[in-house]
Amino acid sequence: MVGIRNTWANRVSERGMLYLFLLPTFVLLLFLVIFPLIWSLYLSFCQYSANAANPPIFVGIRNFSFIFQQKEIWDRFAVTGKFVAMAVVVEFFLGFFIAMLLNREFYGKGVLTTLFILPMMFSPAVIGKFFRFMMDTNWGIINYILGKLFGIPKIAWTTSYEYALPSIVVADVWIWTPFIVLLSLAGLSSVPKYLYEAADVDRASGWFKFRYITLPYVAPILLLAVLFRTMDAFRFFDLVYVITEGGPGYSTQIIPFYIYKLAFSYWHTGQSCALAYVLLIIIIALSNIYITYLNRLRRT
Amino acid sequence: MAEIVLENVVKNFGKVRALRGVTVEVKDGEFLVLLGPTGAGKTTTLRIVSGLEEPDEGKVYIDGQLMNGVAPRDRNCAFVFQNYILYPHMTVYDNLAFPLRSKLWRVEEDEIRRRIERVARVLKIEHLLRRKPDKLSGGEQQRVALGRAMVRNPRVFLMDEPLSNLDAKLREEMRVELKSLQKNLQATFFFVTHDHVEAMTLGDRVVVLNQGSVMQVGAPEVVYSRPANLFVARFVGTPEINLIPAEVMGETLRCKTMGTTWKLSEIPFFQEVRNIPSRVFMGIRPEDILLGQGDKFGEVYLVEDLGVDKVIRVKTDHTILRVRASQEAQFAVGERVPYLFRTEKLIFFDPVTEKLLG
Ligand SMILES: Nc1ncnc2c1ncn2[C@@H]1O[C@H](COP(=O)(O)OP(=O)(O)O)[C@@H](O)[C@H]1O
Ligand SMILES: [Mg+2]
């Protein structure tokens, strides 16, 4: 055995080496993800304020029962549901429609597709700022255009009860429709051309082809898109923060934003942790429903 | 029913010249077979008839109506594709019902069920109706594809090698079924194959296509016994026809590579045809050479037993002749055997133009 020195590296087994390489990542994960997860779970059962000197006091499920008794929190769940429903439905139909338009050969297809995808590349916070400026009641360009072209009086887009939530939906649609477009395009281009040829010869109408050839092919991927969007909408925060800051009143305080408020404005750390876990459970439940359905769809 | 006419159809795919002026007529109620090797342009021809492809030049008529620019669904052709396309998300039943459920048809569900049951019985796919296409074997899929064409009442049936994926026994059965189907329906069939046996047994007439050009049109017997050129002669028939270069010298025909001569007076062809070039290709089918008689000799080179009969290769000088012999014939490799050409069956080709003489 010439040339193999008795260094520490040679004394570590193959498997030991494996763990050694994994260790830094694992330590990072432990401190940044696993520990906070467990700690916040513990805190959700405690009365605790992160800015106070007192240690957490275990109070059982009091935080949870408090949450479910508060009407304001139910209202915020309703706002969240309304937001998710509006945003996902609009994005879904708009995105699929645009994908259908893009899914053919025409001059400038590549450029146009790229343009449609572009909004996804920007930071939502920056986009939120832009929308906030554009939607400003007094000097926003939207009111200016509406006023000049149609003579419509100024609308308080981000600061009135009726328009604040839809305004956020509009910004969200602008950012996330491209995602649906992208997935829909992937689904649409996976449909074999020869099926349409066979259907042409079989005298199928456009609707018939769409219903019986296109849809079955793209349905699973569309469902996946909706799943992603729904999950994402539940952790939606930045646009609200930038555009309305939850106002006016509580009208745009969706749950993720409210958790933030609870944690860092009111310093009810225990309650905010409890609410965060409730939200987590809802998201997991929803995704499970989707995934079960997706699997059933794939099997048939 | 209907007739199809293709007039001087040209189709190019970029640099590939798929069809170079094809003129074909499928008569009303006829079973026309388009025969040719892979890449000849057979599929392209059918796609042009169905409207899935538009010709670069030339005209397509169905029933006397000009079809150029008419959408596929307005042509009322049934198309059985080479790769038997089925709709993957539907059951066999729904696949068969598909062409009937389209808005243009509006067939009652009862009627649809009756038609599907009848077709399923003929094709022996009754037990498969509830299954999805990916649970079927290749042969079963192909029968379903055939069924989808049959449930309709199309003006013409376009069939692109519909039997190529069936095993030998089923293929034979389906050949009979197809032929009787066509007879019963009095339907116009435009049938594509690369298998000359299929062409011979099915076709009322056969069109031989090669590299985008029509080589010959005729009844199967004519294509077989009087092939228009060397390509058709070689392509049609197994074992392949014997083609031997020969020279007319005075009153004799000399085959240098065989080391033999014939008197011209022995060969009917030379009595009937004038203006024969001095060099020719002599063609004779394997079954038109008789072993065990005659005054010319060769050596048995190889014996293949095909079950029904035998193919025997006989070496005469530099030529190896393919001879079809009966099952009873007993020849040993290396044996010297006499052979006799049925001279009335000899055909001759011009070696320059490659065309049939006479
Ligand atoms: N869509 C196409 N694009 C380019 N070349 C094609 C296309 N379709 C057919 N070809 C070419 O045209 C020729 C004839 O093809 P095809 O009609 O499929 O022949 P066959 O069915 O007799 O085997 C081939 O050389 C093939 O490669
Ligand atoms: Mg083909």
Side-chain angles (χ1 to χ4, degrees), chain B residues 276-296:
Chain B
I276 297 161
S278 60
R279 287 170 180 279
V280 291
F281 266 112
M282 179 168 78
I284 185 154
R285 293 281 175 194
E287 58 272 24
D288 295 328
I289 303 175
L290 307 173
L291 291 185
Q293 40 188 306
D295 51 1
K296 298 183 169 62

Side-chain angles (χ1 to χ4, degrees), chain A residues 30-51:
Chain A
L30 189 70
F31 277 99
L32 293 180
V33 179
I34 298 171
F35 170 72
L37 206 66
I38 293 168
W39 184 239
S40 63
L41 183 62
Y42 169 67
L43 286 184
S44 68
F45 292 102
C46 294
Q47 185 182 343
Y48 178 61
S49 198
N51 69 341

Side-chain angles (χ1 to χ4, degrees), chain B residues 31-79:
Chain B
F31 200 126
L32 188 85
V33 175
L34 185 62
L35 174 67
T38 304
K42 307 182 296 293
T43 300
T44 307
T45 308
L46 285 195
R47 287 174 62 85
I48 284 175
V49 174
S50 71
L52 291 174
E53 214 82 66
E54 277 295 318
D56 295 337
E57 288 170 39
K59 301 203 169 90
V60 180
Y61 298 93
I62 298 178
D63 255 350
Q65 287 170 287
L66 186 66
M67 283 292 141
N68 295 48
V70 176
R73 65 169 171 168
D74 298 326
R75 297 195 186 194
N76 198 2
C77 304
F79 200 140

Side-chain angles (χ1 to χ4, degrees), chain B residues 106-119:
Chain B
R106 276 279 166 255
V107 183
E108 297 298 319
E109 281 297 322
D110 277 354
E111 170 67 12
I112 292 178
R113 180 150 24 80
R114 250 199 318 278
R115 286 206 211 173
I116 289 177
E117 277 166 5
R118 199 180 53 218
V119 166

Side-chain angles (χ1 to χ4, degrees), chain B residues 173-218:
Chain B
E173 274 176 40
M174 288 300 300
R175 260 194 331 237
V176 177
E177 288 300 343
L178 269 185
K179 189 73 187 176
S180 72
L181 175 80
Q182 188 259 343
K183 281 270 170 316
N184 291 340
L185 294 178
Q186 298 278 304
T188 309
F189 270 47
F190 196 175
F191 184 100
V192 158
T193 180
H194 67 264
D195 178 353
H196 64 267
V197 178
E198 219 164 271
M200 295 294 136
T201 49
L202 282 175
D204 295 330
R205 287 189 308 149
V206 175
V207 175
V208 185
L209 194 70
N210 186 36
Q211 297 187 349
S213 301
V214 173
M215 299 278 107
Q216 187 171 9
V217 182

